[in-house]
Amino acid sequence: MLIWNFQSERRHNPRFRTNEDAIVVLKSHPATMGKLIDISMEGLSFRYIHSLERLDQTRMLDIFLSKGGFYLGRAEFTAVSNAKISDFVRRFSVQFKGLRRGQRSRLEKFIEDHTIYSASHTGFE
């Protein structure tokens, strides 16, 4: 079990940056794919190229490591924000909801093995 001694201003769990490229795929029509910015046991944010898809139509996502070796599928979420980073890039933040025990275990393992803690990371790099 993970134990963190970090303090977070608004969140119950600290946010972590990946130390490898991780991809988030929303189960939208068509699917929306982006690069993971940060993640916690409560949720994540990722950046994606904005087009005309309607992200409010989906509530499921998958997480992959680009080098393989990790997959978390069909994680249910609630949208928190969809902020503009530039003319074509947006940051989509979600909160997980109703993760099954196996999904929570995989998420915890992902955070242990593939992330670094960053208290000051803003996600706009």
Side-chain angles (χ1 to χ4, degrees):
M1 172 183 257
L2 291 175
I3 299 175
W4 295 293
N5 291 324
F6 304 109
Q7 297 206 354
S8 178
E9 295 172 9
R10 297 175 285 160
R11 299 177 178 101
H12 295 108
N13 292 302
R15 288 283 181 135
F16 297 87
R17 290 178 57 184
T18 59
N19 54 12
E20 301 177 44
D21 286 338
I23 305 300
V24 177
V25 179
L26 293 185
K27 303 285 191 173
S28 55
H29 297 287
T32 300
M33 182 171 33
K35 184 176 179 196
L36 185 70
I37 296 171
D38 57 27
I39 191 165
S40 75
M41 290 301 293
E42 292 179 329
L44 61 80
S45 66
F46 68 97
R47 64 178 174 250
Y48 70 98
I49 304 297
H50 177 63
S51 64
L52 298 177
E53 67 269 352
R54 300 212 20 138
L55 299 184
D56 58 349
Q57 305 273 326
T58 184
R59 296 290 176 242
M60 295 280 186
L61 62 80
D62 297 336
I63 305 169
F64 300 88
L65 275 179
S66 60
K67 294 180 183 176
F70 178 82
Y71 169 71
L72 175 67
R74 301 189 53 80
E76 193 171 349
F77 70 87
T78 301
V80 174
S81 69
N82 192 1
K84 181 178 179 179
I85 294 176
S86 70
D87 287 341
F88 300 105
V89 180
R90 297 187 71 88
R91 176 187 175 129
F92 194 64
S93 299
V94 305
Q95 181 177 13
F96 297 125
K97 70 176 202 177
L99 292 179
R100 296 184 305 274
R101 185 179 312 167
Q103 289 174 312
R104 289 193 62 77
S105 294
R106 291 197 52 74
L107 180 58
E108 188 172 88
K109 184 77 170 139
F110 176 82
I111 290 171
E112 285 178 345
D113 295 346
H114 303 287
T115 65
I116 54 175
Y117 177 71
S118 179
S120 63
H121 179 61
T122 62
F124 293 100
E125 297 172 0

